[in-house]
Amino acid sequence: TRARIVIDRDFTVGEVPRRLFGSFVEHMGRCVYTGIYEPGHPSADADGLRTDVLELVAEMGPTVVRYPGGNFVSGYRWTDGIGPVEDRPRRLDGAWHTVESNRFGLHEFVGWARKAGVEVMEAINLGTAGVEEARALVEYANHPGGTYWSDLRRANGAEEPFDIRLWCLGNEMDGPWQIGHKTASEYGRLAQETAKAMRLVDPRLELVACGSSNSGMPTFGAWEETVLSHTYEEVDFISLHAYYQEHDGDAASFLASSVDTDHFISRVAATADAVGAKLKSKKQINLSFDEWNVWYQRGLDSEDQPHRIAEQPWREHPRVIEDTYNVTDAVVVGTLLNSLLRHGDRVQIANQAQLVNVIAPIRSEPGGPAWRQSSFHPFARTAALAKGQILQTRVSSDKHPTARFGDVDTVDVSATWDEENGRVALFLANRGLDEAAEVEVELRGLVAGTGATAEVLTTPEGGDRFTANTAEDPARVGLTDLAVGVEDGRVRLTLPALSWACV
Ligand code: AHR
């Protein structure tokens, strides 16, 4: 396989939105309890936060973390999670059929976010709650003091406001599974009025309206149009969610999932712009891809899958969708990040779902170790290296056929140019299962130094494409050095079959 890539310093997409490297913590399964928070764990700090997990989060480098849901938020009373822990109510959470102890709430999350060095992206409940609960929460979180809600925050131990800027107006409100599911007009009007009331408390807020739960929803497109026709002047972003998996052993289509992501993003941007045109608005609505990942949702009959959870007795933080990611999944994650970067002019926020245990790059055992899944690595390296300007990429790659997307480029790429550090970063995937790919990169207006380095994630010695990291063997899939040559200003490298690499 061969691929030729051209990048030019003057052909940029825009600045890398650092919020593209977001993650997500939901009160779901063991993401919070025994994930980021486990009092009594040998690594727990005085606040019960797992420092082994915090160290991995620091290495992974998420910039912003969405909280507390997800489907969970649509039945959540945020006031249950504040005040003395012993007084907090235990509630049934219908979204995931669990008992929520509320030992972890807003103050605990803000404390965790500060230690993790991430921005908080707070989701409000627009399923069972509405305007009143939302504006009270903004007053509690962001008002300095001297009012009922802000003084309650201070009485609960937080003298200074939390200063949360980024808010999601509900979660997946188009989904019939959602508690308090709404039609597009019902949701659009509610989101519009809630946004207005929240901004009357704090005008600095940045607000995300719910788009479709996925591009296959029967209402996709019409939902965005109706919701934005109500909320256009009140919100800043419309959300996108997408999960991918391998169906019936069709690895080629699975590895080409980012073709779908590219398409999805273009469609939502076009719909938002069409509404803007109709409204004769000068404003541009950007995109918040606030749930994305690989998630094996169907075909698995294990008891931890959402459709079977309700068969179980009510439990606290059960194991739910703790997918184990292999080499193939990590390559797909790398290509999804490429797609997000290529569209960084419109996709300004993205959150991989989720951070720990629940379809997550980090796994942890109660009382036991924490480790990196294969998918941790492309995220961590892209988050660390993608800085400065996103570069357009001209790719002439050999192609291969796929059942779902027709012929696709075998080599997938995104690139950034960090002028401050004089560094170009290339993120490459070889989606071919059998052949190595010879890649040549021509740089225009940029000089390739001899110090170019590269790392690669591929099938480890003795493994296959399903090889994964486990608690017993946590470093089986990882990054190794890759040879990269610089000749006549061109960068040359060989990507092994089924691999993801950064240069
Ligand atoms: O991330 C898991 C779930 O997927 C979220 O709770 C929901 O928003 C989505 O359907």
Side-chain angles (χ1 to χ4, degrees), residues 455-479:
E455 290 170 292
V456 68
L457 181 150
T458 191
T459 308
E461 196 73 28
D464 59 25
R465 72 182 187 87
F466 300 107
T467 303
N469 295 338
T470 58
E472 295 71 37
D473 196 356
R476 184 95 171 90
V477 183
L479 296 169

Side-chain angles (χ1 to χ4, degrees), residues 24 26 28 70-72 96 171-172 177 241 243 291 295 321 353-354 359:
F24 177 30
E26 176 167 3
M28 176 177 179
N71 295 341
F72 171 79
W96 302 114
N171 176 70
E172 296 190 346
W177 60 86
H241 291 181
Y243 293 101
E291 285 188 34
W295 176 5
I321 59 168
Q354 299 185 4
I359 45 170

Side-chain angles (χ1 to χ4, degrees), residues 83-252:
V85 173
E86 56 284 6
D87 296 342
R88 296 186 192 171
R90 290 168 63 78
R91 302 256 191 211
L92 294 181
D93 159 37
W96 302 114
H97 196 73
T98 54
V99 175
E100 172 57 54
S101 68
N102 284 305
R103 278 174 292 145
F104 194 93
L106 181 61
H107 288 251
E108 288 76 17
F109 184 69
V110 170
W112 177 86
R114 287 191 181 144
K115 287 182 186 166
V118 302
E119 181 183 2
V120 173
M121 181 181 192
E122 182 77 12
I124 59 157
N125 173 356
L126 285 187
T128 60
V131 182
E132 186 52 42
E133 292 85 348
R135 70 189 189 124
L137 176 51
V138 175
E139 183 181 320
Y140 186 91
N142 287 4
H143 196 68
T147 64
Y148 177 79
W149 290 109
S150 57
D151 284 343
L152 188 57
R153 181 200 69 239
R154 294 166 69 209
N156 285 334
E159 183 57 35
E160 295 305 318
F162 296 145
D163 200 21
I164 302 171
R165 300 289 175 94
L166 191 54
W167 298 73
C168 301
L169 300 169
N171 176 70
E172 296 190 346
M173 297 311 303
D174 64 322
W177 60 86
Q178 201 69 207
I179 296 176
H181 163 228
K182 291 174 175 54
T183 65
S185 334
E186 286 167 349
Y187 170 70
R189 281 290 297 131
L190 179 60
Q192 179 185 16
E193 291 307 316
T194 308
K196 188 174 85 187
M198 290 168 77
R199 280 225 169 95
L200 287 171
V201 180
D202 184 348
R204 303 165 309 161
L205 305 186
E206 295 174 73
L207 302 175
V208 184
C210 290
S212 296
S213 301
N214 60 70
S215 61
M217 293 298 288
T219 48
F220 174 57
W223 172 275
E224 282 75 3
E225 192 192 359
T226 306
V227 167
L228 283 175
S229 67
H230 290 295
T231 58
Y232 203 90
E233 296 302 337
E234 309 288 349
V235 305
D236 307 285
F237 305 94
I238 182 94
S239 73
L240 296 81
H241 291 181
Y243 293 101
Y244 298 98
Q245 64 181 316
E246 186 171 319
H247 292 278
D248 305 321
D250 181 5

